[in-house]
Amino acid sequence: MVDQVFADPSLAALYDSLNPWGPGDDFYLGLLREAGSVLDIGCGTGQLLRRARAEGHPGRLMGLDPAAAMLVQARRARPDVEWVLGDVRVRHWRAEFDLVVMTGHAFQELVADEEIRVCLRAAHAALRDGGRFVFDTRNPGARAWERWTPDRVHEVTAPDGAPVRVWHEVRGDGPERGRVRFTETYAGPRWPAPRSVHSVLRFLDAAALEGFLAEAGLAVAAQYGDWNRAPLTAAAPEIITVARRT
């Protein structure tokens, strides 16, 4: 299933404005500069690969995403990158990439255990010897969902110049078995009524992540709590994991 926020072209067109380039993108871009070939799982609109190619990255860059509306944005901006529609089951890679990444908390879209296992097995298969799989998740210890409240409104400008207001609201009392359900609402003068989409994200701690990685033949090489490579602590905002094949 693809979240409506990614599948709807009018909402996908807002994604880059709502998620402007930031420290996380700089972190990943530094890794891409060192890699000859890169697979970006859940690439969205492809901001990272687009920037790498614009900088002159000469190697193979592949972006994979199940939301056609997001890839429309990617292809339009950068047709010289390999964009693939689907999830990790649409291709069978065999040691083809120096670097595999999942950015922008895309890993948290994997809600079921089997989804995680399938994705990690695919990442393992895609890596060359010595390659790295790097991904990020929000640290459950930081309790980010407590700040997803309707009073925190973000305003962005749609491609047609119209203002759009966006806010979030958690459904229920917080995590249930590590899963947080929430509503994302969009409102603007071009829409007769606000548009709400429902989403679920999974929060895993470092120990649970390490367990899933080990099942897939991957081992943690490094873990950080923030984009400046600060140590992972109980309340750090991120769990940024660098994994290698065992």
Side-chain angles (χ1 to χ4, degrees):
M1 290 290 291
V2 177
D3 278 354
Q4 185 184 350
V5 68
F6 303 131
D8 185 313
S10 63
L11 300 183
L14 301 172
Y15 185 84
D16 287 352
S17 296
L18 285 168
N19 299 274
W21 192 271
D25 301 289
D26 287 328
F27 174 89
Y28 282 108
L29 185 60
L31 300 177
L32 262 70
R33 289 171 177 149
E34 302 169 357
S37 53
V38 182
L39 170 63
D40 185 350
I41 299 173
C43 67
T45 61
Q47 283 194 93
L48 181 65
L49 299 184
R50 286 156 42 194
R51 177 71 69 89
R53 186 67 89 206
E55 282 193 355
H57 192 293
R60 183 185 184 189
L61 299 177
M62 176 184 287
L64 174 72
D65 201 276
M70 300 291 271
L71 289 186
V72 166
Q73 307 291 323
R75 289 192 181 101
R76 181 180 297 148
R78 210 72 222 190
D80 54 351
V81 172
E82 207 174 336
W83 305 112
V84 178
L85 178 63
D87 61 23
V88 294
R89 293 169 296 184
V90 303
R91 293 283 183 93
H92 295 285
W93 298 286
R94 293 291 178 267
E96 298 174 40
F97 296 96
D98 302 309
L99 177 67
V100 177
V101 299
M102 290 186 75
T103 73
H105 307 121
F107 191 85
Q108 291 185 255
E109 299 280 342
L110 304 173
V111 176
D113 287 0
E114 189 56 24
E115 289 179 298
I116 294 172
R117 292 186 177 108
V118 168
C119 182
L120 292 180
R121 287 196 296 265
H124 178 278
L127 286 174
R128 291 176 175 155
D129 288 342
R132 294 178 290 178
F133 172 47
V134 187
F135 65 101
D136 55 81
T137 65
R138 298 175 183 86
N139 182 5
R143 302 181 67 84
W145 60 85
E146 293 181 347
R147 297 183 290 279
W148 300 348
T149 55
D151 59 298
R152 293 173 176 259
V153 179
H154 305 277
E155 186 164 309
V156 297
T157 302
D160 63 3
V164 178
R165 298 166 61 245
V166 185
W167 63 91
H168 302 84
E169 185 170 9
V170 173
R171 294 183 285 155
D173 298 322
E176 297 177 8
R177 293 179 299 166
R179 295 157 177 83
V180 174
R181 291 168 170 78
F182 64 97
T183 300
E184 188 170 37
T185 302
Y186 295 74
R190 304 292 173 87
W191 293 325
R195 305 176 65 182
S196 293
V197 294
H198 303 293
S199 299
V200 183
L201 294 177
R202 186 160 181 189
F203 286 75
L204 293 169
D205 60 21
L209 288 170
E210 187 171 2
F212 278 113
L213 287 165
E215 279 188 53
L218 295 162
V220 175
Q223 241 167 9
Y224 310 110
D226 212 338
W227 300 113
N228 59 2
R229 299 177 188 253
L232 175 59
T233 63
E238 304 284 346
I239 303 177
I240 303 159
T241 301
V242 180
R244 294 185 183 274
R245 297 174 61 169
T246 55

